[in-house]
Amino acid sequence: MTARPTRTLAAIALLIGSSIIAPAAAEDAQPVRIGVLSDMSGMYRDIMRPGSVLAAKMAVEDFGGKVLGRPIEVVSGDHQAKPDVGAAIVRNWFDNGGADAIVDIAQSAVALAVQELARTRNKIVIHGVTGSPAITQQACAATAFSWSLNAYAISAPLPKPLIERGLDSFFFLSADYSFGKAMEDAAAGAIKKAGGKVLGSVRFPQNNPDFGSFLLQAQSSKAKVIWLISAAEDTTTALKQAKEFGIVEGGQHIVVPLTYITNVHALGIANVQGLTFATPFYWDRNDETRAWSQRFFKQHQAMPTMDQAAVYSGTLHYLKAVAAAGSLDGLKVAEQIRQLPVNDMYVHDGAVRADGWLMHPFYMASIKAPSDVKKPWDYYTIEKVIPAAEAAQPLSESQCPLVAQSR
């Protein structure tokens, strides 16, 4: 008879123990979530959209699908190029377990809003194509990283090789927002340093349907180079109308530092041949980029943009850093992101600086003549490799507090 209470107490103890252990086990099994915050419906949709989500999922697949013994999930949100919308999505993700890290973003105002949220919560954010230099300058954060480009990297290295060819006078057509100003300032400084001249500039509003008056000003300046600072649909519209005005046929050279392969594909290379720009990625650069891009193409039916390639690389490196840190703690993971070399199809032996900038080479490229195209999407000629040290704004000029602390 005495054995019954003993067995009963043991059973109760087992139940109590199970009720404590089960939630802990369930918590340990919670997925590691990566949030792809992107423009799914606005002016950046063709350079980001589902392709960015696909790129993140490819990184998860290549990593093996699990980290720290937990499954990895990719979730996505549409910021609509609106800072308040983007911030609301990310705040919900961070505060309610929707995401442990954020990748992509692109639009500068949204990126800055998201970066501030990441700072206050010690969460990781890895920007793809985000133009504002403030990301790694005044607004830098210990857990924030810039993986693709900024205004300096695609503007400052280009004038010197153009001026060496005799293309020594410039006219700016610049988008009237902070990214446009930052790119113009970076290019103008490099033009002056290389011995060139800026003959004038004009600014246009975002989502501009008619570039006629702006193109006429650029044409009448007689500048040898018309430097178009725009993005996404504005680039497509401006280049279509430049073709109608016969600007290239008239002897002027068009430079569009921020050029996407999707813009070129939409316009047709006959309309943009000879266009010059800088890029951190081209799908047909080597065997490794080709193999990855063909995988991407089979699912997306378009070759990857530089933004989508950066999302893949940033996501993969984040997962490697989580594994190395043995934790999802943002500061611990950020330390590993900076310590580990970045090695993948996007960059070899890349290094992440104190300010969060990924050191990687850029490529000065131009659009081929139609007669030189040998296969679909074979649009770029890589004319020059721009070393990582030339593409990156010098740390000696940095306004990032983290840089001062690291000295």
Side-chain angles (χ1 to χ4, degrees):
M1 296 292 292
T2 56
R4 287 184 180 176
T6 302
R7 287 197 296 269
T8 302
L9 288 171
I12 291 170
L14 182 62
L15 286 171
I16 293 172
S18 299
S19 69
I20 294 170
I21 293 167
E27 184 178 344
D28 287 343
Q30 284 295 309
V32 173
R33 294 189 175 96
I34 298 169
V36 180
L37 184 67
S38 197
D39 186 356
M40 304 286 184
S41 55
M43 67 179 293
Y44 301 101
R45 62 186 181 275
D46 290 334
I47 62 176
M48 302 166 67
R49 217 166 43 170
S52 292
V53 178
L54 170 60
K57 288 182 176 179
M58 287 174 68
V60 170
E61 178 186 344
D62 290 349
F63 186 77
K66 287 187 175 183
V67 67
L68 306 182
R70 298 161 66 171
I72 306 164
E73 287 184 359
V74 174
V75 297
S76 63
D78 180 5
H79 61 56
Q80 303 173 36
K82 298 174 182 177
D84 57 336
V85 173
I89 292 170
V90 170
R91 187 180 295 108
N92 179 56
W93 279 347
F94 283 162
D95 295 349
N96 297 301
D100 299 289
I102 309 298
V103 297
D104 203 13
I105 307 176
Q107 207 271 350
S108 293
V110 179
L112 288 166
V114 169
Q115 181 148 312
E116 185 56 30
L117 285 169
R119 181 207 309 277
T120 60
R121 289 158 173 79
N122 284 330
K123 294 286 190 177
I124 298 294
V125 56
I126 299 177
H127 302 282
V129 173
T130 303
S132 174
I135 292 292
T136 54
Q137 294 284 319
Q138 304 94 321
C140 71
T143 56
F145 303 91
S146 184
W147 223 250
S148 179
L149 59 79
N150 64 16
Y152 183 94
I154 55 172
S155 299
L158 282 179
K160 184 179 178 181
L162 292 170
I163 291 168
E164 288 171 350
R165 287 194 216 163
L167 299 170
D168 58 1
S169 59
F170 299 78
F171 187 97
F172 288 111
L173 254 70
S174 304
D176 192 12
Y177 51 92
S178 60
F179 181 36
K181 184 180 187 307
M183 288 184 69
E184 185 174 328
D185 289 347
I191 289 166
K192 182 179 179 181
K193 185 176 180 180
K197 297 173 290 184
V198 177
L199 301 185
S201 66
V202 64
R203 300 207 168 180
F204 59 85
Q206 196 172 16
N207 291 319
N208 183 48
D210 185 3
F211 284 82
S213 63
F214 306 120
L215 289 168
L216 282 172
Q217 290 180 62
Q219 198 171 33
S220 62
S221 74
K222 305 299 182 184
K224 294 176 184 177
V225 176
I226 296 175
W227 194 285
L228 174 62
I229 299 172
S230 61
E233 292 180 0
D234 279 338
T235 300
T236 303
T237 303
L239 291 175
K240 280 181 179 177
Q241 294 175 12
K243 176 70 174 176
E244 294 167 5
F245 276 75
I247 285 176
V248 173
E249 291 80 0
Q252 289 174 297
H253 192 88
I254 298 179
V255 169
V256 185
L258 187 59
T259 293
Y260 288 94
I261 196 165
T262 45
N263 294 139
V264 176
H265 187 73
L267 285 162
I269 61 170
N271 294 316
V272 290
Q273 69 180 75
L275 187 76
T276 301
F277 54 97
T279 182
F281 176 82
Y282 178 45
W283 75 269
D284 200 25
R285 190 173 60 82
N286 58 36
D287 289 343
E288 199 174 2
T289 57
R290 278 188 287 275
W292 183 84
S293 298
Q294 292 291 354
R295 283 175 56 206
F296 181 94
F297 185 89
K298 285 179 182 178
Q299 299 180 70
H300 191 60
Q301 301 306 305
M303 284 301 176
T305 64
M306 53 190 170
D307 180 77
Q308 291 156 351
V311 168
Y312 171 86
S313 175
T315 302
L316 186 62
H317 193 69
Y318 165 73
L319 293 171
K320 291 176 181 178
V322 168
S327 171
L328 286 171
D329 178 85
L331 291 174
K332 292 179 180 178
V333 174
E335 183 179 357
Q336 291 300 318
I337 286 175
R338 287 182 172 86
Q339 288 186 5
L340 295 173
V342 183
N343 280 303
D344 52 42
M345 63 85 201
Y346 182 70
V347 61
H348 285 175
D349 295 322
V352 181
R353 300 194 311 191
D355 61 357
W357 174 258
L358 171 63
M359 295 289 287
H360 59 295
F362 277 68
Y363 307 95
M364 180 175 170
S366 61
I367 303 301
K368 293 181 176 181
S371 58
D372 294 331
V373 173
K374 307 302 181 188
K375 55 189 172 184
W377 295 83
D378 173 28
Y379 299 148
Y380 295 2
T381 295
I382 303 298
E383 298 187 359
K384 182 180 187 295
V385 177
I386 302 168
E390 291 181 21
Q393 191 162 4
L395 280 179
S396 59
E397 300 174 4
S398 179
Q399 299 176 54
C400 170
L402 298 172
V403 173
Q405 294 168 18
S406 69
R407 286 173 179 154

